[in-house]
Amino acid sequence: MHRFFISPELLAQTSRPSLHRVMLPAAVAHQVRDVLRLTPGEHVVLLDNSGDEIEARIVQTGRSGVEVEIVERRKGRSEGCLRLVLYQGLLKSARFEWILEKGTELGISAFVPLRCQRSQIGLEELGATKVQRWQRILQEAAEQCGRTRLPALLPVRSLSQALAELPADALIVMPWEQERRLSLRAALRACRRQVHEALAMGGPLTVALFIGPEGGLAPEEVALARECGALIVSLGPRILRAETAALVAAASILYEYEDEEEQTGETG
Ligand code: SAH
């Protein structure tokens, strides 16, 4: 079934028992009618960013718009209480966009562009057009992969700002290309119990992942993160491009911890 994020206000009306029909917003109506050519009787899933899925049946598709009838609101299953936040050293836009798309598919909850000592100058200015474009990438990826909540795109931060605003119990992971002793795998396994316990308490638990820019992380930046309790880890003997490092580390974190979450969800 095709899935579309819509504004929560549109569906707020549906809590009134007498009003089960809504007109889809113009952009979604265009997709439904002109691009996908869906017809009356077919069903779609509407997402209001609440974590629920709202199944709706198309009633009519006309030039004036597309009307749907709400069939059912149900709990979505794709979002858990592990909150993986990627702080990504600023990159060229195309590479950052790739991270937004793939990171959304993997399950990253929030993306924060990070201003680092070696970030390329000029990319810090995130104009409104770029932010809109990036939001659209997140939305399309979230619809495609079946998420019920949109990952957040937060404003650019410096490393010290980012570290200062993390919750006290956040697990901070910083892969550093010069780290030789501690592997990401060993670090994640050492924290398994702590993560399991936090998730068993109902979370949410933030795991903050810091990835450097193309120029890498400066030793002072690594030292600052270490002081704040970050685990400085290696992703192996090869230097990965920043976007590869981001996705490999995100996938590894979710691989280690996400099943714990499902188990605790089932038992609790
Ligand atoms: N220009 C740097 C590499 C930067 S890679 C150099 O040539 O040394 C960009 C970011 O990806 C790094 O800052 C780090 O966060 C991550 N990264 C890439 N490869 C890594 C590895 N083998 N171990 C740990 N982190 C790595």
Side-chain angles (χ1 to χ4, degrees):
M1 237 182 284
H2 293 280
R3 308 164 64 85
F4 305 95
F5 278 93
I6 41 86
S7 88
E9 292 83 54
L10 183 79
L11 290 177
Q13 308 162 3
T14 60
S15 56
R16 275 185 259 151
S18 58
L19 222 157
H20 287 294
R21 291 190 174 191
V22 288
M23 295 299 288
L24 294 179
V28 178
H30 169 67
Q31 276 290 319
V32 166
R33 183 191 51 213
D34 310 324
V35 180
L36 298 165
R37 297 180 183 278
L38 301 182
T39 50
E42 290 191 84
H43 288 213
V44 294
V45 173
L46 305 178
L47 304 158
D48 62 356
N49 218 12
S50 65
D52 290 348
E53 296 181 337
I54 298 109
E55 186 171 334
R57 189 174 60 85
I58 299 172
V59 179
Q60 54 166 313
T61 60
R63 236 175 286 147
S64 58
V66 173
E67 190 180 28
V68 299
E69 186 172 52
I70 307 301
V71 177
E72 183 191 15
R73 177 186 273 272
R74 54 180 179 248
K75 259 267 82 13
R77 299 190 60 200
S78 70
E79 308 293 325
C81 51
L82 179 77
R83 192 167 172 270
L84 177 55
V85 182
L86 172 63
Y87 292 87
Q88 173 62 60
L90 277 162
L91 300 176
K92 288 202 184 100
S93 199
R95 293 185 185 278
F96 197 83
E97 290 178 4
W98 194 79
I99 292 179
L100 292 175
E101 182 182 296
K102 302 301 167 203
T104 299
E105 291 168 31
L106 285 179
I108 289 176
S109 297
F111 298 86
V112 190
L114 192 68
R115 193 181 305 116
C116 296
Q117 279 186 28
R118 300 180 188 156
S119 297
Q120 292 178 28
I121 301 158
L123 293 178
E124 286 148 45
E125 294 310 320
L126 293 188
T129 324
K130 188 167 279 183
V131 171
Q132 261 171 20
R133 181 181 152 87
W134 287 5
Q135 294 283 11
R136 211 171 48 240
I137 291 173
L138 293 177
Q139 181 168 329
E140 282 171 13
E143 288 171 350
Q144 181 271 324
C145 72
R147 291 184 68 162
T148 50
R149 285 213 179 90
L150 281 174
L153 174 62
L154 302 177
V156 185
R157 301 274 202 284
S158 69
L159 180 62
S160 53
Q161 282 172 328
L163 289 166
E165 72 191 11
L166 284 172
D169 64 348
L171 183 66
I172 310 174
V173 180
M174 178 181 269
W176 186 33
E177 56 277 21
Q178 289 181 35
E179 172 62 30
R180 292 287 165 269
R181 283 162 300 175
L182 181 63
S183 69
L184 175 64
R185 182 169 59 180
L188 294 180
R189 297 224 163 139
C191 296
R192 253 186 108 90
R193 196 178 164 158
Q194 174 194 339
V195 169
H196 177 75
E197 282 173 6
L199 294 175
M201 304 271 289
L205 176 72
T206 298
V207 179
L209 171 63
F210 286 84
I211 300 288
E214 279 310 332
L217 291 161
E220 309 86 85
E221 292 174 319
V222 177
L224 177 64
R226 205 190 287 275
E227 264 171 47
C228 294
L231 298 163
I232 310 299
V233 298
S234 163
L235 299 178
R238 290 162 294 273
I239 302 276
L240 309 177
R241 295 201 83 127
E243 68 271 29
T244 317
L247 292 182
V248 163
S252 305
I253 290 167
L254 293 165
Y255 174 82
E256 279 296 331
Y257 296 151
E258 224 183 15
D259 57 338
E260 297 271 8
E261 194 181 337
E262 275 167 21
Q263 280 166 23
T264 53
E266 275 164 23
T267 53

